[in-house]
Amino acid sequence: MPYFSTDTVAAQRALEIGAEEVLVAKNGVDGIYTADPNKDPSATRIEKVTYLDALQRGLKVVDSTAFSLCMDNNMDMRVFGMEPAGNVTRALLGDPIGTLVTA
C-alpha cells in the first residue's frame, strides 16, 4: 500500500483477518531495545512492553502508526529477528521470542 510502512500494513492485515497477534520480523535486531543496540552498548532487550509505554519512550523499531493501530484494537504484537533460520516458524508456533507488545 503506498504511503504506509510494512509495519502498518502488517498490523492492518492482521486486524482484517482476526489474527491473535501480529508478527513483525526485523532484520538486524531480535526485539525492542531500550536504545539502539548498534549505537549504545548499554542497551538492553525488553521482554514485554505496552504500546503506550513504547510510544512514550520513543522506542522506534516499529513505526508509531502500527503501534497505535494495534493499541486501539487491542491486538498483541511480537517483534523478533529474522535470524537465525527458523525464527518465523518459532514465532508462528508461539515461542516467546523477541518482544511482546500489548495493550
Side-chain angles (χ1 to χ4, degrees), residues 73-94:
N73 289 280
N74 203 31
M75 166 78 68
D76 287 350
M77 177 185 289
R78 179 150 317 264
V79 180
F80 62 97
M82 290 291 295
E83 298 295 329
N87 261 7
V88 173
T89 300
R90 288 180 61 206
L92 287 168
L93 293 173

Side-chain angles (χ1 to χ4, degrees), residues 26-40:
K26 295 288 187 176
N27 284 310
V29 293
D30 61 351
I32 298 175
Y33 282 75
T34 55
D36 184 341
N38 296 316
K39 297 178 183 176
D40 184 349

Side-chain angles (χ1 to χ4, degrees), residues 1-5:
M1 291 179 62
Y3 309 108
F4 291 96
S5 74

Side-chain angles (χ1 to χ4, degrees), residues 35-94:
D36 184 341
N38 296 316
K39 297 178 183 176
D40 184 349
S42 68
T44 57
R45 187 165 59 84
I46 301 167
E47 299 279 330
K48 185 176 180 181
V49 66
T50 66
Y51 289 109
L52 188 56
D53 191 30
L55 289 166
Q56 288 174 338
R57 292 169 62 182
L59 304 176
K60 299 195 184 284
V61 71
V62 174
D63 77 68
S64 59
T65 303
F67 273 163
S68 295
L69 186 60
C70 288
M71 179 176 67
D72 291 347
N73 289 280
N74 203 31
M75 166 78 68
D76 287 350
M77 177 185 289
R78 179 150 317 264
V79 180
F80 62 97
M82 290 291 295
E83 298 295 329
N87 261 7
V88 173
T89 300
R90 288 180 61 206
L92 287 168
L93 293 173

